[in-house]
């Protein structure tokens, strides 16, 4: 392969290889771009089998973006990985409160993780519609508690924390939550895998579809 390919050519060739090596699958036209980008960013075909995407997750994400609702992340790495040019088309604010001084102070006083307090701070702003978690299981557990106990209703949750302690369990809890709240829309996966890069890739796939939906109108 030529080393002089342009970035868009490398991406197109990567997608071709993914589709060729994976073969037939059951993902629909809205969901497949999310799964494909998760595979692309991780070089891990397990996502084709482990991803869980609710029926209206992509549509809910597009609607939230087009309404200008905020996107909250649990790590600045997700912010770094998201396409700001596409996001700017919708006027959506991108926030991460883990490094917020007040969050850090309260977390220390309460003896809990900053990720927990960051979710609480984000949830107080009703203009925040999309919650993207790619690092901290405690952030996802807290968001689930906020839904169940405090009536928080995100338009979309991208729950892809990674790790050996609580990651798989937090994603199990998210899927269980959906049984109580059938209208809850989310993107997650089964197991320990995940990460900020995968969460950002999923959001970028939704952003592309949101831009395309706007262009088609």
């Amino acid at each position: 392969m030529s080393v002089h390919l342009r970035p868009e050519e490398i991406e197109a060739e990567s997608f071709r290889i993914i589709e060729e090596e994976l073969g037939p699958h059951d993902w629909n036209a809205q969901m497949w771009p999310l799964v494909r980008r998760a595979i692309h960013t991780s070089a891990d075909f397990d996502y084709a089998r482990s991803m869980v995407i609710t029926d209206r997750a992509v549509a809910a994400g597009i609607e939230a973006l087009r309404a200008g609702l905020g996107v909250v992340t649990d790590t600045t790495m997700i912010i770094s990985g998201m396409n700001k040019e596409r996001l700017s088309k919708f006027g959506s604010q991108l926030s991460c409160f883990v490094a917020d001084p007040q969050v850090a102070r309260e977390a220390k006083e309460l003896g809990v993780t900053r990720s927990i307090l960051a979710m609480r701070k984000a949830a107080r702003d009703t203009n925040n519609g999309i919650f993207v978690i790619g690092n901290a299981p405690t952030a996802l557990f807290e968001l689930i508690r906020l839904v169940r106990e405090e009536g928080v209703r995100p338009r979309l949750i991208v729950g892809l924390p990674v790790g050996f302690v609580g990651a798989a369990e937090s994603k199990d809890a998210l899927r269980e939550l959906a049984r109580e709240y059938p209208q809850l829309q989310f993107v997650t996966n089964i197991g320990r895998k995940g990460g900020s890069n995968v969460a950002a890739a999923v959001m970028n796939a939704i952003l592309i579809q949101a831009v395309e939906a706007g262009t088609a109108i």
Side-chain angles (χ1 to χ4, degrees):
M1 177 180 291
S2 171
V3 296
H4 303 296
L5 291 175
R6 295 190 298 271
E8 62 271 21
E9 293 175 324
I10 293 172
E11 181 180 82
E13 176 63 8
S14 296
F15 287 167
R16 185 196 66 78
I17 292 170
I18 289 169
E19 296 193 11
E20 180 181 89
E21 292 192 11
L22 180 63
H25 58 79
D26 295 327
W27 296 105
N28 67 31
Q30 278 195 322
M31 297 175 179
W32 171 237
L34 280 62
V35 177
R36 184 175 62 182
R37 283 192 176 271
I39 296 170
H40 176 247
T41 200
S42 63
D44 190 342
F45 281 94
D46 277 356
Y47 286 103
R49 295 173 286 274
S50 69
M51 293 276 284
V52 181
I53 305 173
T54 54
D55 290 343
R56 292 201 70 260
V58 177
I62 291 172
E63 290 165 5
L65 288 167
R66 298 200 63 206
L69 297 182
V71 179
V72 176
T73 75
D74 73 324
T75 170
T76 55
M77 288 179 65
I78 296 175
I79 292 177
S80 297
M82 285 180 58
N83 189 300
K84 313 302 186 305
E85 182 180 352
R86 292 192 183 105
L87 188 66
S88 68
K89 295 179 185 297
F90 306 104
S92 298
Q93 185 173 348
L94 190 55
S95 305
C96 178
F97 296 112
V98 172
D100 182 275
Q102 180 184 2
V103 164
R105 183 172 61 252
E106 291 182 6
K108 185 175 182 180
E109 291 171 356
L110 295 172
V112 299
T113 70
R114 287 183 294 169
S115 296
I116 290 175
L117 270 296
M119 288 296 107
R120 291 179 189 174
K121 181 178 177 68
R124 287 196 290 268
D125 185 348
T126 56
N127 194 53
N128 288 325
I130 300 177
F131 288 73
V132 188
I133 299 170
N135 179 59
T138 55
L140 185 53
F141 276 126
E142 178 61 15
L143 185 56
I144 290 168
R145 187 195 69 79
L146 289 165
V147 170
R148 185 176 281 129
E149 297 181 11
E150 299 190 21
V152 174
R153 294 293 181 267
R155 298 287 190 91
L156 175 67
I157 298 172
V158 177
L160 292 162
V162 62
F164 294 96
V165 180
E169 292 82 357
S170 67
K171 289 177 273 191
D172 290 344
L174 177 59
R175 297 195 304 278
E176 182 64 30
L177 183 70
R179 297 180 184 177
E180 300 174 45
Y181 302 92
Q183 298 304 311
L184 186 71
Q185 302 300 319
F186 64 82
V187 179
T188 189
N189 71 310
I190 298 170
R192 296 168 170 171
K193 295 180 181 180
S196 298
N197 59 331
V198 179
V202 165
M203 275 306 301
N204 283 332
I206 294 173
L207 276 167
I208 289 170
Q209 292 188 59
V211 171
E212 290 173 349
T215 304
I217 293 175

